[in-house]
Amino acid sequence: MSDVQRSAYRQPATPSGLEAIEKGTLTWLDEDMYNNLNTGVLEQYLEEKNLQDSFEISHWDTKKVLIGIAIGAIFSGVTAYIGLKIGLAVSAAWYVAYLLGMALKWSPSEVNISTSATTGATNASIGFIFTFPAIFLLAYSDDYIVGDGHLISSVDTFQLAFIGIIASMFAGFLGVMYFIIFRRVWLVEDPLPMPGFEATLKMLDISSDVNSGAAEAARDSLKTVGLWTVLTMGFMFLIDYPLMWGRKISGIPGSLADWLAMALSGEDWGLASIYTERWLHQPSKLADGHAQFGGITPYESGNIFSYTFLGVELSPTLLAIGWFMKFRVAFLVNLGSIVAWFYLVPLVVLLDAPVYDPALGQYVEITQYGDMSSLPVYPIVQWKAFFTVVRTIAIGAILGGGIYGLLKMAPTFVNIFGDISNAFSGEKSEEYVEERGWYEWPLSHIPIFMAIAFFAMIAIFVIGGFPVLPSVLFAIVLLATTFLLGAIAVRVMGETGIEPVSGTSFIVLLLLLLVFLNLPVGLSKEESVLMALVGTTVFGSAISMSGTVVGDYKNSLYIGNRPYHISKGNIMGVVPGAILGAGVAIFLSKLLADGSIDLLAPQANAFAAFTIILAEGQGDWYALGLGFLLGAFAEWATGMGTSFGLGMYLPTPVTFPMLIGGAARDWWEKRRLLPKVEEIRLSEGSEASERSRALMLLFTFMIAAGALTGEAFFGVESAILAVSDEHKTEQEYLPDSWTDTYLDEMLGVEDDDFGHVLTYATSRIASDIDEGKPLSCEILPSSVVCKEPMSIKSWWPQARFAGFLVVNVALAAIIFVLFRSAGIIGVNPDSEGDSEVMDAEMAD
């Protein structure tokens, strides 16, 4: 018994599945396969089956791959905008590619290979979304003034773009190459569950139905996906589309849900006290009928809600991810959030912990940020605690859990490191099939490309103007961290469905700044910061490619594709994706930094703040070390320490919906699925009951797939429209700032009362000067900067809504034509009525 490998991920195989494996009758996309996902037994069986049969199924079609690349490259720019807007790299590119492949009657193999190129193109520029904007924030944003100036005096955009884009291409290739050697460990021998992949797999299953002529099964599945896509988009329209332009909320156009919340609120309390811009949150007192600071409770020593923040984002995507996670994994992610928001954040506030303030150049006790009589004013103390102390602990927890987890898996890696040794010695991998070709990308190419990437990185940074020595050091750090931290990031993705690109990128930034700032490498402080941030951008693109290729490998295993073709598709998608995605991200970064557009950009702001702290020599090593120990302990206790660390890194509105989704699935399986399956087992036998179980579970996967699709589509459309909004505005004159002198003379505010300026600026000044229009005001050490939101041209809201309707009608028409030509819709259904899936669900 001691020799049996134990796993936190592996599920028990079903009797029917084991019997089919023993007989060799189990095949791709059948019911026994769906019932045995992530069992390890199934994956090892399919790996052996694919080695024999995939050469007859997995075929490369350059034309179809180029179509996938084109879709991914176009959406890489849209992904950049969404990533900066909400902090998540959401993209509908792969859905578009899947739907197009099905409409054109491509085989599942062709769809999978083509979309591997699509995902490669959309992920090649992730570093430019999360890290690169920090350069522009540090150079131009008033939020990141250090003393009397900025940490970065100027930015040569062309120079940095050249370095970042070309280096990201090589790093993306490296990320794909490295994870060839982890495929067998995490997808075959001890398969990571990768919550959410089931929706992708089902889409491939639908492709199989369409291609083989069984359009009825595809029609039923597409009806479910389509219905829930429409419902999700309708829901997102109600809570997110800016309908209320005439009556702005918090200075911006409000959605119907925002308007309703305000309508059902009084001066101090009401629905707006618990609902603000897609978030249901803890009660917060209103100010003149408006939610304060986005619904977040301002600090008051006697108010327990000002010591934490609890909320739920109304996001179908997050609920769907929780459904795929199931309760255990979702709970472990939330355990990190619970520790952060119920213990660590309140503890930091209660202890009045000092945090470093770069604008003042000194440490400030955290409760002073909630004191309106002192400077600087930052009334949302709990979020200040989270972004400074707790997120540093979370980064340490991700690192500690990941490294300890890798150490625990050392015996599993023995064979893998043997493969690496063979690669360096020039021997052929066992995945090469004589007279048939490569089943997997040749391992012998890995050391060759490592050498190419090493010298390419040095050449790129030297041509870009940096000295040789730091360029060599960066190349070494990149080769090492892409392998080690990339492994940690991919494991987190395998556990939770979310890859912590920004979390692991923080560690790389820390390493690079420590090296460049403390060793005599010939760099000034400004050059060190620039090179570290550009280098971290390159790393982010590398591990993002690692995550996407492993996800594509996961699906290819279940449909009989060769990993060689998946690797090739991802590699081909890197170049156009890096160019277009990075170009859009750089353009938006400049607008973000100079205040032309209003985007959340949480990762970019976090990197900017973290860089200032490290560059000024004020890193919180105790918090980082504490986090490392917490993550290692969570890994030892639960086997999922990296998930725990990721939960600490996320706010509760993001993690709580996952917990709700996971709990809902467990409840549904226990109260609805299992009783029905048991009833069928008693009346029709085990085989029929397992088949019904698979069908009912697949039906829920289709609902989740529709939720993911709907929010992704709506997000893409919102991004395009939001960009258009920026060009349909007209600025009305308003003074740029109010200085001490202005306040003293015009408002009678004394210097020692300067902390009250925020209240004056948003009420009295707004009322006296601009007839009550809300202002966006910010307190600086010597003045208050207030900006009036630019007013939208009178005809734009109606034109915008008309465009929104036209786009969706056109999209629906295009899909209808394509699917009708493929025989998917517009065909009279058989007289049998509803599908078995629907029959099973109706019986509940």
Side-chain angles (χ1 to χ4, degrees), residues 223-438:
K223 279 180 182 178
T224 304
V225 176
L227 174 63
W228 284 91
T229 298
V230 172
L231 291 175
T232 300
M233 292 187 72
F235 175 73
M236 296 303 300
F237 176 83
L238 293 176
I239 69 171
D240 204 45
Y241 187 88
L243 273 179
M244 317 310 293
W245 295 79
R247 184 178 178 182
K248 295 182 180 180
I249 299 167
S250 300
I252 60 174
S255 68
L256 187 61
D258 293 325
W259 173 82
L260 184 62
M262 296 302 302
L264 298 178
S265 300
E267 289 294 316
D268 297 325
W269 298 97
L271 183 57
S273 298
I274 59 171
Y275 175 81
T276 309
E277 296 177 8
R278 296 179 57 175
W279 283 9
L280 287 171
H281 51 76
Q282 63 190 31
S284 177
K285 188 176 180 180
L286 305 178
D288 297 325
H290 292 267
Q292 299 185 70
F293 312 108
I296 301 168
T297 309
Y299 175 69
E300 295 175 354
S301 60
N303 185 349
I304 60 172
F305 287 116
S306 66
Y307 290 77
T308 188
F309 183 79
L310 310 178
V312 175
E313 182 175 347
L314 301 183
S315 169
T317 292
L318 295 174
L319 289 169
I321 290 174
W323 184 273
F324 289 127
M325 281 182 179
K326 300 187 70 173
F327 181 74
R328 180 179 182 272
V329 176
F331 174 75
L332 288 172
V333 172
N334 269 268
L335 187 59
S337 283
I338 290 169
V339 170
W341 288 97
F342 284 85
Y343 179 71
L344 291 176
V345 170
L347 186 64
V348 171
V349 179
L350 283 170
L351 294 178
D352 204 2
V355 295
Y356 184 73
D357 190 294
L360 299 178
Q362 64 185 35
Y363 278 88
V364 177
E365 292 179 344
I366 201 162
T367 56
Q368 290 188 25
Y369 287 93
D371 184 358
M372 297 297 288
S373 65
S374 64
L375 281 176
V377 176
Y378 196 105
I380 311 169
V381 171
Q382 65 271 54
W383 282 87
K384 187 70 173 179
F386 174 66
F387 285 121
T388 54
V389 179
V390 176
R391 271 207 164 166
T392 303
I393 297 175
I395 293 166
I398 292 173
L399 179 61
I403 289 179
Y404 187 76
L406 291 176
L407 292 175
K408 286 200 311 181
M409 297 175 67
T412 310
F413 287 127
V414 171
N415 294 333
I416 293 301
F417 288 119
D419 289 340
I420 297 173
S421 177
N422 291 339
F424 277 96
S425 63
E427 298 177 17
K428 288 183 179 180
S429 166
E430 63 179 1
E431 306 297 358
Y432 182 79
V433 178
E434 294 293 339
E435 299 181 356
R436 307 188 78 179
W438 288 102

Side-chain angles (χ1 to χ4, degrees), residues 1-233:
M1 292 293 291
S2 60
D3 293 332
V4 177
Q5 185 182 15
R6 300 185 64 186
S7 171
Y9 318 113
R10 186 173 298 175
Q11 305 297 317
T14 64
S16 173
L18 288 173
E19 182 180 358
I21 289 173
E22 290 174 359
K23 293 180 177 179
T25 58
L26 189 152
T27 191
W28 308 291
L29 303 176
D30 68 8
E31 289 136 12
D32 282 319
M33 188 203 80
Y34 278 110
N35 275 331
N36 289 275
L37 296 176
N38 297 317
T39 60
V41 175
L42 168 70
E43 284 74 17
Q44 292 174 44
Y45 166 81
L46 288 177
E47 178 78 353
E48 294 301 319
K49 179 179 175 63
N50 291 347
L51 275 167
Q52 300 299 319
D53 300 338
S54 64
F55 292 90
E56 305 300 326
I57 296 173
S58 182
H59 298 291
W60 181 266
D61 188 320
T62 302
K63 180 180 177 181
K64 293 173 181 176
V65 170
L66 290 176
I67 292 174
I69 291 174
I71 294 171
I74 293 170
F75 275 90
S76 65
V78 178
T79 302
Y81 183 86
I82 297 175
L84 285 170
K85 185 175 179 64
I86 63 175
L88 293 174
V90 179
S91 173
W94 73 270
Y95 287 107
V96 173
Y98 268 72
L99 292 173
L100 183 60
M102 288 189 292
L104 298 175
K105 295 188 178 182
W106 294 353
S107 69
S109 170
E110 293 169 330
V111 172
N112 182 225
I113 294 171
S114 175
T115 53
S116 71
T118 301
T119 55
T122 55
N123 284 274
S125 59
I126 292 298
F128 283 89
I129 301 172
F130 292 153
T131 308
F132 202 79
I135 295 174
F136 293 94
L137 291 173
L138 290 173
Y140 303 118
S141 175
D142 291 336
D143 291 335
Y144 297 99
I145 292 176
V146 180
D148 296 328
H150 288 89
L151 196 61
I152 298 174
S153 59
S154 63
V155 177
D156 186 334
T157 304
F158 179 79
Q159 173 201 21
L160 296 184
F162 165 78
I163 297 172
I165 293 174
I166 304 300
S168 290
M169 292 179 188
F170 281 94
F173 300 151
L174 187 67
V176 173
M177 290 283 185
Y178 269 161
F179 278 81
I180 293 169
I181 56 182
F182 285 101
R183 187 188 68 84
R184 177 173 287 276
V185 174
W186 285 337
L187 299 183
V188 178
E189 295 176 3
D190 192 15
L192 292 166
M194 294 192 181
F197 93 94
E198 297 94 339
T200 314
L201 187 60
K202 182 55 184 174
M203 298 284 271
L204 290 170
D205 198 346
I206 297 172
S207 299
S208 176
D209 292 333
V210 173
N211 186 65
S212 64
E216 186 60 34
R219 185 181 300 113
D220 287 339
S221 294
L222 286 171
K223 279 180 182 178
T224 304
V225 176
L227 174 63
W228 284 91
T229 298
V230 172
L231 291 175
T232 300
M233 292 187 72

